[in-house]
Amino acid sequence: MTTTPLGAEIRRQIAAEGPMTVAQYMALCLNHPQFGYYLVRDPIGRAGDFITSPEISQMFGELVGLWTASVWQMIGAPARLRMIELGPGHGTLMRDALRAMKTVPGLKAALSVDLIEVSPVLRERQRAVLFGTGVAVEWHDTVASVPDGPAVVVANEFFDALPVHQAVHQADGWHERLVTLDADGDLAFATDTNVLAQTPPNAPLGAPSGAIFEWRDDAGARELGQRVMRSRGAALIVDYGHTSTAAGETLQAVRGHAFAGPLEAPGRTDLTAHVDFEAFGRSVEAAGAKAFGPVGQGTFLRRLGIHERAAVLRKGAMPHQIRDIDAAVLRLTEPGKRGMGDLFKVMAFGHPDLGSLPGFGD
Ligand code: SAH
């Protein structure tokens, strides 16, 4: 087992206070103020651990920008619009979105940007990338401190990085899965002997013994639902995940573009788990919002016009650039293992009065 400073700290904490939940472990690994994965490194790109859609092609951010512009028009083109991004990474999506939105008359003058970012390293990077766009940008630790008012919220690969709980099914019900120490003092998974006092929300009945169920605290989703109800606006969530709530383990560890063990090298390994879009939809609808989707990323980008945008970019491009554009379209839209077209899904929600949101129409 690789020892990291955070691994040593987690072992000390378990030795002193007992086992912790998988959600507590994941939160420490990703967001520990000193050693957390997102706090100390830039994980995105070739030199990092993973690559994301906005980093694959400018078309992704541009289409999200045009989606935002459509929502702005649907809500009556208010004089002020906040574009809020959760977990903006390198700031690439926002840069490309802002460039596309400049073509919409009146929108740039109305726009300001709020970025929710935990990482000081990435905040600096976002500042550099968005400097010179002519749009005011503010940073926040959570969306709660963003003032109310007409807003469009966007998030790509944000919710998969929020901690998940895991439970294991046994004859008497669901038991929380824990991280503890084995006989050698190494980190190991264990199952709480007590049955969970409260069955996890919507956990399937009659799951086989040993089945794992994952769920997230839904406070963040409910808060976004309440925001789109209070303020005019809508939200767009893109992430990898499943359409309906079901048993199954999706907690995944990635280091240097390869799979790793989730208990290996805490703080140096990216940990994510699928977004349960059914649960997400339930949470925002509990606040009164209307949810659309999820649809596959491929379908969504096609409906927004990725092929038309690619055709424009191809004009006047060099042959190697044309190859890159075509490869990017495939990677972003192709279903199955080769592309991100159906594993990645898109959900949107807004005030029910808005009706159907762009990309989800019949
Ligand atoms: N959206 C970007 C980056 C995805 S990586 C892209 O598509 O390229 C996840 C992003 O969320 C990073 O910017 C990370 O620092 C941020 N993040 C992770 N957990 C967070 C939290 N709890 N609060 C705020 N930001 C967080």
Side-chain angles (χ1 to χ4, degrees), residues 35-307:
F35 303 122
Y37 176 79
Y38 279 114
L39 278 292
V40 296
R41 71 196 57 243
D42 176 355
I44 308 157
R46 235 180 272 283
D49 291 320
F50 56 87
I51 184 118
T52 58
S53 296
E55 303 299 328
I56 289 171
S57 166
Q58 68 184 77
M59 291 181 279
F60 189 84
E62 289 169 349
L63 293 173
V64 171
L66 295 179
W67 189 89
T68 303
S70 306
V71 171
W72 177 65
Q73 281 157 346
M74 285 170 77
I75 60 177
R80 311 276 324 134
L81 181 78
R82 291 181 176 277
M83 185 164 178
I84 305 172
E85 186 177 0
L86 313 178
H90 287 179
T92 310
L93 183 157
M94 189 55 78
R95 183 197 63 199
D96 295 334
L98 291 177
R99 193 179 53 248
M101 284 190 282
K102 279 188 188 148
T103 61
V104 180
L107 177 52
K108 190 181 166 198
L111 261 184
S112 62
V113 167
D114 295 281
L115 302 179
I116 316 305
E117 177 54 68
V118 70
S119 159
V121 180
L122 291 178
R123 279 188 182 201
E124 272 323 301
R125 180 123 189 194
Q126 293 151 15
R127 198 185 304 279
V129 166
L130 297 175
F131 181 79
T133 55
V135 176
V137 182
E138 277 174 27
W139 281 264
H140 307 260
D141 292 334
T142 69
V143 77
S145 62
V146 179
D148 273 341
V152 170
V153 182
V154 300
N156 183 58
E157 289 210 53
F158 173 76
F159 288 95
D160 66 342
L162 300 189
V164 280
H165 287 269
Q166 290 188 330
V168 182
H169 201 243
Q170 295 183 350
D172 56 349
W174 291 100
H175 293 242
E176 182 118 28
R177 200 169 185 221
L178 303 170
V179 176
T180 188
L181 300 178
D182 66 14
D184 299 327
D186 284 332
L187 295 177
F189 286 113
T191 305
D192 195 356
T193 45
N194 296 321
V195 75
L196 271 161
Q198 252 184 331
T199 304
N202 302 293
L205 302 166
S209 181
I212 289 185
F213 181 67
E214 295 175 337
W215 77 101
R216 285 188 168 86
D217 174 27
D218 76 339
R222 267 188 290 127
E223 185 175 354
L224 288 180
Q226 287 156 2
R227 179 172 290 265
V228 301
M229 290 306 289
R230 275 198 315 270
S231 323
R232 282 177 298 159
L236 185 71
I237 308 299
V238 187
D239 228 309
Y240 73 111
H242 40 269
T243 307
S244 29
T245 303
E249 179 172 27
T250 70
L251 178 66
Q252 172 177 298
V254 168
R255 195 163 68 249
H257 299 268
F259 290 115
L263 302 181
E264 281 170 27
R268 295 212 184 122
T269 310
D270 184 37
L271 292 179
T272 58
H274 277 205
V275 172
D276 175 349
F277 281 101
E278 185 181 348
F280 202 96
R282 256 194 311 266
S283 303
V284 300
E285 292 203 330
K290 170 98 181 91
F292 298 90
V295 298
Q297 172 168 300
T299 302
F300 182 75
L301 294 178
R302 271 192 294 278
R303 288 180 182 165
L304 257 50
I306 192 169
H307 289 297

